[in-house]
Every structure is written in structure tokens, then in C-alpha cells.
Amino acid sequence: RKWELRRAVWIRDYLHHLEAGGRRELVERWLADFDQRVRPALDRLRQSVIFNDANDNNIVVGGERFAPLVAGVIDFGDLCRTNVVCEPAIAAAYAAMGLADPVAGIGRLVAGYHAAWPLEEAELEVLHALVCMRLCVSVTNSAFQKTVEPGNSYLAISEQRAWDLLEELSAVHPRRALYAWRAACGL
């Protein structure tokens, strides 16, 4: 499953689809962190069945115009059993796109998730890297898919916003991110 974060290293075989230089090096940096620190940590963290695709294209909204309510979700094709922390990481990767302050925005998302299903401290320690890895998977997959179906613009629908967010979050020191997520959870 290409969208399961535990298996994100598949993108290593597709890095040649990314332009050589800074952006490819950024993805390689996150892959190295995933191999050395995140992947071993995931083996010790909680698992559950997760939706695995929380993004604005999969949310059904109802209610009034100025008081919208989430009425449901669609597209269960990526549902899988994996680490619990992957769910808020994936949602954060999409929810923070285009935000003026993505760390604060992710903090609000983490706070809401934590209120419904408390995150463990060890999960918060890998959250930032998992958000960035989801973005790495997204941009690498977009680059590859453009070679397979060059005329299909939907395949790159969030590519530029994903690159922008990945670059911005990569500039955030991991401890700053961790402290922000801990604070959001009241820890």
C-alpha cells in the first residue's frame, strides 16, 4: 500500500522522478530520518485500523453556510491497520497546506485529535517526521504519476502546496514541533 506511512520508503525507488537538487535532497533527508529514527520507533507504538486518507477531498460537509458540520467521510480505499499516530499525521499534512502558520494549525488539529483519542508522548515524538513523510510520499507520487499520465492534472492537484508545506515544515526544528504538539495536548 503506497499510502501507508509505515511503508513510505517505497518512494526511494522513485526519487529519480524528482528534479535533482534541493527538493530531492529534502526528501532524501526525511527518508534517512525515517530509516534511522522513526521506523524503529513505530514498532513500539500503538496500532489500530485508521482511515488513512483524511483530506479535504474526502470530507462531506453539511449544516448551514456559516456553520458547516462534518457529515461524514468518503473513500475508504486506503483504510488499513497501522500506527495510530499516522492518522493525525496524514490529516495534518493536508490541513496545514496554505496556512500562514502551519505549526499552529497542526497544533489545533492535534489538540482536537488528542481530545477524542489521547496521543502518547512517544507518538508525539514522531508526529512531525510523519507529517513530512506523508508530504514526501505525496510529492514523489505526483512526480512519478506525471510520467505515467502526463495529461491528468488531478494527479498533481496538491503537489505545489505539498512542496511549499514540506519546505516550511522542514525549516521547523524538530524540538520546536514536538513542544508545540505537547503543548497542544496539555503535556
Side-chain angles (χ1 to χ4, degrees):
R1 300 186 144 218
K2 72 179 175 182
W3 295 111
E4 185 182 349
L5 276 175
R6 287 180 62 88
R7 300 176 186 198
V9 296
W10 71 265
I11 66 173
R12 186 173 281 115
D13 294 336
Y14 294 83
L15 293 179
H16 64 277
H17 293 285
L18 300 173
E19 187 176 323
R23 284 184 163 177
R24 184 189 301 177
E25 289 171 7
L26 188 60
V27 172
E28 290 169 340
R29 186 182 107 200
W30 285 110
L31 275 167
D33 181 59
F34 187 84
D35 287 337
Q36 295 165 8
R37 186 181 65 84
V38 177
R39 182 65 180 97
L42 292 177
D43 291 336
R44 297 184 303 274
L45 300 178
R46 297 179 298 165
Q47 291 194 5
S48 181
V49 174
I50 68 168
F51 180 61
N52 203 44
D53 199 12
N55 69 69
D56 51 342
N57 292 313
N58 290 339
I59 298 172
V60 178
V61 179
E64 297 180 27
R65 181 174 181 206
F66 295 106
L69 298 170
V70 174
V73 293
I74 59 171
D75 188 359
F76 292 88
D78 293 317
L79 188 89
C80 65
R81 179 174 177 79
T82 191
N83 294 94
V84 170
V85 69
C86 292
E87 191 79 285
I90 292 163
Y94 292 98
M97 287 183 188
L99 295 181
D101 186 349
V103 172
I106 292 171
R108 289 187 296 275
L109 184 142
V110 168
Y113 188 91
H114 184 74
W117 191 351
L119 291 161
E120 298 174 353
E121 290 188 45
E123 292 169 327
L124 295 175
E125 290 176 12
V126 296
L127 180 63
H128 184 68
L130 288 171
V131 173
C132 291
M133 276 306 297
R134 177 58 176 227
L135 294 165
C136 289
V137 170
S138 182
V139 297
T140 304
N141 186 63
S142 289
F144 167 66
Q145 290 296 329
K146 286 193 293 188
T147 67
V148 175
E149 293 184 62
N152 187 343
S153 60
Y154 177 76
L155 296 173
I157 194 167
S158 61
E159 182 180 20
Q160 186 56 53
R161 293 183 312 145
W163 274 119
D164 293 345
L165 181 58
L166 179 60
E167 289 169 342
E168 190 167 353
L169 290 178
S170 295
V172 173
H173 195 283
R175 281 196 310 268
R176 178 176 175 251
L178 174 60
Y179 298 152
W181 314 153
R182 287 177 52 81
C185 296
L187 301 173

